[in-house]
Amino acid sequence: KTSAFLSHASTLEHSAAVESLLIQPFQRIVRYKLLLEQLLKYTEPSWPDYSNLQMAITVLQNILFETNKRTGSNDNMVRIKQLCSKINGFKPRERYHLVYLFDGPCRELGSFRTKKRHLFLLNELLIVTEPKHDETFDVVREPIPVESIQIVENVNSDEITFFFQCEKFTFRFHDSGQTQKWYSELSSAVQKRILSFR
C-alpha cells in the first residue's frame, strides 16, 4: 500500500497536493462529526438511536481534540528545536516541558547606554539574547526562570522593568502596543508558573 501511495504521490505536481492527500482522513472525521450533529438535530430524543448518536459525536469530538492536542505538541517541539538551533548558548536539559509563548526585539536600558536585545518567552524561562547579523542570537545571561521575575508597574508606557535576584532589568519596546503585549504575556507566564508549584 505504501509503495502504491508513493507512486501516486510522485505523479502529483506539487507537494501541496501530497499534503492535501495526507489530511483527507482527518477531514473525513470532521465531516462525519458534522453529519452526525445534523442528524442529531433532526432526531427526536425518544428515537432508539438518539443516545447512540450522542455517544458517536462525543467519541469523534474526543478524537479531534486529541489529534489537535498532539499536533500542537508536535508543532511546539519543532519550534523549541528551531529555537535551540537559532539561539547560540541555549541548550536546555529537557525540552519536553518547554512551551514557546512569545518573542520580539527590544532595547535593554543600562546605566550609560541601551543595547539591542531580542527576548524569547517560554513557559518556564525568559531568554535575553543579542541579535546577530546572520539571524541567530547569542544568549547574554543565563535564562531567567519566570517564577522568579517580579514585574514593576512602569509610568513609561514603552518600558517594562522587573527584578530577578535583586538585579533590575528594564526593556524598551517599539511602541506601547508591544509593551502591553509583553507585559500581558510575561505576567501570565509568571502567574501560571507560580500556580504550577502549588
Side-chain angles (χ1 to χ4, degrees):
K1 288 184 181 182
T2 304
S3 60
F5 172 78
L6 290 175
S7 73
H8 175 68
S10 67
T11 63
L12 300 172
E13 291 183 27
H14 302 290
S15 64
V18 174
E19 290 173 5
S20 69
L21 288 174
L22 293 173
I23 198 162
Q24 281 182 355
F26 184 75
Q27 289 173 334
R28 188 169 289 147
I29 294 170
V30 173
R31 279 190 238 123
Y32 286 154
K33 179 182 166 286
L34 292 172
L35 176 69
L36 291 177
E37 285 172 340
Q38 285 298 310
L39 194 58
L40 184 68
K41 186 177 177 181
Y42 296 105
T43 303
E44 292 291 324
S46 59
W47 191 261
D49 288 329
Y50 188 83
S51 62
N52 289 337
L53 278 174
Q54 288 178 314
M55 194 167 40
I57 291 168
T58 301
V59 167
L60 290 174
Q61 283 173 330
N62 290 339
I63 290 170
L64 292 170
F65 176 77
E66 282 301 315
T67 303
N68 284 334
K69 192 166 88 173
R70 288 185 181 157
T71 302
S73 176
N74 288 341
D75 291 347
N76 181 67
M77 286 174 57
V78 168
R79 183 68 188 244
I80 295 298
K81 189 175 179 179
Q82 288 171 340
L83 284 181
C84 288
S85 67
K86 285 174 60 172
I87 302 174
N88 305 318
F90 177 58
K91 304 289 181 236
R93 282 183 227 124
E94 280 195 34
R95 297 181 201 169
Y96 306 108
H97 301 291
L98 295 177
V99 177
Y100 167 84
L101 299 176
F102 195 62
D103 75 278
C106 63
R107 297 196 75 78
E108 183 174 4
L109 305 182
S111 301
F112 302 106
R113 64 186 178 119
T114 66
K115 298 173 187 167
K116 243 180 146 177
R117 297 289 187 242
H118 194 99
L119 303 179
F120 292 89
L121 180 61
L122 307 179
N123 63 323
E124 297 179 7
L125 301 169
L126 177 66
I127 307 164
V128 181
T129 68
E130 180 181 1
K132 296 297 181 192
H133 297 291
D134 62 354
E135 297 186 13
T136 62
F137 305 88
D138 287 342
V139 173
V140 295
R141 64 178 50 85
E142 280 292 313
I144 301 169
V146 293
E147 69 271 11
S148 303
I149 294 174
Q150 296 174 329
I151 304 172
V152 177
E153 292 282 340
N154 276 359
V155 177
N156 186 333
S157 63
D158 292 342
E159 297 175 3
I160 292 179
T161 299
F162 65 85
F163 287 91
F164 169 67
Q165 295 181 343
C166 300
E167 191 176 351
K168 180 180 174 183
F169 299 91
T170 302
F171 296 98
R172 178 172 289 147
F173 298 90
H174 180 66
D175 58 35
S176 59
Q178 278 293 307
T179 307
Q180 286 291 37
K181 178 72 174 158
W182 267 103
Y183 185 84
S184 172
E185 292 287 342
L186 190 56
S187 299
S188 176
V190 169
Q191 288 174 344
K192 286 178 183 173
R193 187 71 177 142
I194 289 171
L195 289 174
S196 75
F197 289 117
R198 293 184 181 168

